Amino acid sequence: MSNTDRPDERPAPAPNAVSSSDEVTIRRAPKFGVFIVGGAVLGFIATLVVVSLTMDIDRGDTQETASFGSLVGYFSLWGVTIGAFVGAVVAVVLDRVFARRAARLTAERVEVELPPETVDGEIEDHGDARPDGDRAP
C-alpha cells in the first residue's frame, strides 16, 4: 500500500472527559408482587386441600349439604387473603435481611463530550441546484 492510499494519520482530537465519584449501595431485593401472588396461589391450593379433606365429615343433623364448588369458593376468599398476607410478610422480612447484607461501593461516573467533527476538503455539487441558479432549500 502506498502513502497516497492511506488516509491522513493525524492524531484524533482528545475528548473532554468529566468524572465524578458517587457512593452506591448494592443489595438484592425481593419482588413483592411475586411473593404476594405466590402466597395467594398457595392459599388457594391450601383451601382446596382442606375443603376436600373435610368434605365427608359428618356435620350432625343438617339437612342441607353444600356443594364442593360453593365451599371452595367461600373458603378461598379466606385462603387467598391469608396467603397473600403471608407472602407479603415473607417479602418484607427478606427485604430487611438483604438490607443488612448490603455493600457500599464507590462508583465513578464518566461523561465524555466528543469534539465536533470537522471535514477538510471541498464540498461537491451533486446537481441539486435549480436551473435559475438558486440552490434548493
Side-chain angles (χ1 to χ4, degrees), residues 26-78:
I26 297 177
R27 70 180 184 102
R28 297 183 64 133
K31 294 183 179 183
F32 283 81
V34 172
F35 278 89
I36 292 171
V37 170
V41 168
L42 289 177
F44 181 73
I45 292 171
T47 300
L48 282 174
V49 169
V50 168
V51 168
S52 65
L53 291 177
T54 60
M55 189 71 182
D56 297 328
I57 293 177
D58 186 21
R59 292 183 182 82
D61 297 352
T62 57
Q63 298 288 333
E64 221 174 284
T65 57
S67 68
F68 180 74
S70 63
L71 286 175
V72 168
Y74 176 73
F75 286 113
S76 67
L77 294 174
W78 289 96

Side-chain angles (χ1 to χ4, degrees), residues 88-124:
V89 168
V90 168
V92 168
V93 168
L94 283 176
D95 188 41
R96 299 292 179 198
V97 168
F98 290 150
R100 282 191 223 135
R101 296 181 183 176
R104 306 256 329 146
L105 300 174
T106 302
E108 187 173 334
R109 177 179 299 171
V110 177
E111 295 180 23
V112 177
E113 286 185 26
L114 295 176
E117 291 187 27
T118 58
V119 177
D120 293 337
E122 297 179 15
I123 298 176
E124 295 179 12

Side-chain angles (χ1 to χ4, degrees), residues 124-137:
E124 295 179 12
D125 186 16
H126 292 287
D128 55 352
R130 294 184 181 160
D132 56 358
D134 290 339
R135 288 232 176 248

